[in-house]
């Protein structure tokens, strides 16, 4: 008897429906074809034990299973439940009526209970697009998949519940999730708040500008000056995610199995990898490609602490994703693309000793050591960072001040207002949503300067010997400062402030 049942494979952040054809005929043998990996080939042992422990069995006949499309590599143990239900239906142990209306996925334990799977959200989205009635998967993934409106999602604890459903003994109940309520459940009191930061008013201003325009930023200061403290609080002033951003971010985390039981991610991600990270772990890849840290930071913040300590080869692979805002990983048989639109926040000591710009500490590093230390970061990478700002230690008087600083909620209101102005400006500009994403044509259109501002920028370019990319960065930052002031045009004050945020371009830093 031949039975067709459906599963799903996740490639990149998109899902593809897999047709599992199970044929049970006279003879002996178990044949699984269609490019399964070792985890799928071993599934017959898990299936046999799970069925036996629930009063069923793999029939002693010739079982042939084809996973189509046969030229696509299938991986992982998430097909256990699909294969098990297919075998039971093909051997006549359970009814097969309506089985083709569902996508069925889940990893089996030997007692028949189900373990969570990866990629529940993209699987649910694909199932809805292809018109499936419902999705049956482990209970742990039900809330995540149920975010998709118009798709019946059934979370199950063990295979017996699935069998009882198709046998008509006890029908499964669909998981109900109010996606709008989940999305609008915002965190008004973030864990890390700017009100906790004493002093550093100029740095807070700089972080506000970075958040308002989506600009990459590097903090340069001695140990203990508060660089990490400031970086951790940046997500708290970013605008709330849109529903599209929340779904896109959740999809990326879903395919790596990193989503929480709450389902939809409503908080912007903050990723802080260790400096020993490899280039594959940062940008993604591997034998079976997975998103890297820069994709897990999509729509959020990637924080690289002590930037010169990262291997140069690791830093250089970020250059293209910073420009294109996506990562493409190519293999012989396929190519996958992961979105990677993130804000880069980096920190570094100003010198090997750490106290180059600290007025109260002696400089212990020679000019050659300084040049070698700063030379670990390439010029092209620094050019892709819009804002360079020096962070100095906070004096005791400000540290002991009991007055509370401005809260993240108040700063976020100004940032959100500036982002709304940018959204209106770029409404018909395709993939451009905020100032940091502007291309050359848009910079010329939206960052026009009057004679005085142009002369000021020209003088700074010649004196600091800035590159063409640095010129564009200054214009983008100046446009953001003007947006925060609700100014239609860029003035000399906006240009002057933007030029101050190119610390590493000044003579005495990089020579």
């Amino acid at each position: 008897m031949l039975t067709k049942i459906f599963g799903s494979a996740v490639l990149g952040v998109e899902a593809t429906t897999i047709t599992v054809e199970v044929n049970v005929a006279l003879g002996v043998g178990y044949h699984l074809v269609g490019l399964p990996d070792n985890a799928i080939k071993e599934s017959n042992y898990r299936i046999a034990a799970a069925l036996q422990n629930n009063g069923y069995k793999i029939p002693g006949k010739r079982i042939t299973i084809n996973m189509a499309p046969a030229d696509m590599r299938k991986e992982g143990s998430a097909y256990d439940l699909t294969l098990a239900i297919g075998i039971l239906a093909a051997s006549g142990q359970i009814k097969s009526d309506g089985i083709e209306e569902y996508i069925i996925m889940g990893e089996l334990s030997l007692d028949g209970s189900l373990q969570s799977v990866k990629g529940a959200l993209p699987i649910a989205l694909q199932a809805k697009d292809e018109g499936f009635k419902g999705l049956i998967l482990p209970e742990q993934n039900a809330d995540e998949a149920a975010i998709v409106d118009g798709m019946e999602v059934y979370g199950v604890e063990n295979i017996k519940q699935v069998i009882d459903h198709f046998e008509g003994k006890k029908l499964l109940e669909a998981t109900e999730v109010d996606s709008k309520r989940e999305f609008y459940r915002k965190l008004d009191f973030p864990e890390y708040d700017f009100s906790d930061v004493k002093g550093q008013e100029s740095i807070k201003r700089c972080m506000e500008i970075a958040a308002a325009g989506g600009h990459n930023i590097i903090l340069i200061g001695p140990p203990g000056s508060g660089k990490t403290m400031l970086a951790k609080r940046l997500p708290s002033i970013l605008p709330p995610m849109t529903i599209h951003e929340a779904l896109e971010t959740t999809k990326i985390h879903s395919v790596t199995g990193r989503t929480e039981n709450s389902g939809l991610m409503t908080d912007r991600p903050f990723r802080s990898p260790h400096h020993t990270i490899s280039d594959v772990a940062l940008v993604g890849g591997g034998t079976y490609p997975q998103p890297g840290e820069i994709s897990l930071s999509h729509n959020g913040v990637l924080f690289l602490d002590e930037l010169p300590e990262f291997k140069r080869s690791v830093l250089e692979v970020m250059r293209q994703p910073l420009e294109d805002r996506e990562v493409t990983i190519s293999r012989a048989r396929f190519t996958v693309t992961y979105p990677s639109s993130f804000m880069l926040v980096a920190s570094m000591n100003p010198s090997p000793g750490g106290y180059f710009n600290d007025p109260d500490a002696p400089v212990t590093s020679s000019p050659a050591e300084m040049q070698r230390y700063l030379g670990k970061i390439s010029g092209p990478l620094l050019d892709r960072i819009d804002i360079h700002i020096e962070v100095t230690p906070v004096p005791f008087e400000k540290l002991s001040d009991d007055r509370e600083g401005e809260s993240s909620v108040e700063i976020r209101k100004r940032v959100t207002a500036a982002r709304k102005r940018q959204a209106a400006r770029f409404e018909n500009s395709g993939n451009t949503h905020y100032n940091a994403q502007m291309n050359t044509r848009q910079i010329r259109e939206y960052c026009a300067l009057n004679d005085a501002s142009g002369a000021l920028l020209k003088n700074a370019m010649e004196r600091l010997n800035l590159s063409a990319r640095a010129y564009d960065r200054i214009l983008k930052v100046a446009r953001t400062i003007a947006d925060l002031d609700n100014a239609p045009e860029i003035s000399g004050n906006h240009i002057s402030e933007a030029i101050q945020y190119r610390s590493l371009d000044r003579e005495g830093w990089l020579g």
Side-chain angles (χ1 to χ4, degrees), residues 206 215-218 220 378-390 457 460-461 464-478 495-507 509-510:
C206 193
H215 301 288
N216 302 321
I217 181 172
I218 184 168
I220 311 120
S378 69
L381 178 61
L382 282 176
D383 279 344
R384 286 168 169 82
I385 300 177
D386 299 352
I387 297 175
H388 313 158
I389 187 70
E390 296 177 49
L457 182 54
M461 291 287 297
L464 298 175
N465 193 28
L466 301 178
S467 68
R469 189 177 277 115
Y471 170 81
D472 287 345
R473 263 47 187 179
I474 290 172
L475 287 178
K476 289 181 181 181
V477 174
I495 288 290
S496 297
E497 185 175 0
I499 292 171
Q500 294 177 19
Y501 300 141
R502 301 294 299 182
S503 295
L504 292 178
D505 293 324
R506 299 176 194 162
E507 187 174 355
W509 281 100
L510 296 176

Side-chain angles (χ1 to χ4, degrees), residues 105-127:
M105 297 292 288
E107 178 187 336
L108 281 172
S109 295
L110 300 186
D111 62 355
S113 60
L114 292 172
Q115 306 295 324
S116 62
V117 298
K118 297 178 181 178
L121 179 56
I123 290 172
L125 290 168
Q126 184 66 19

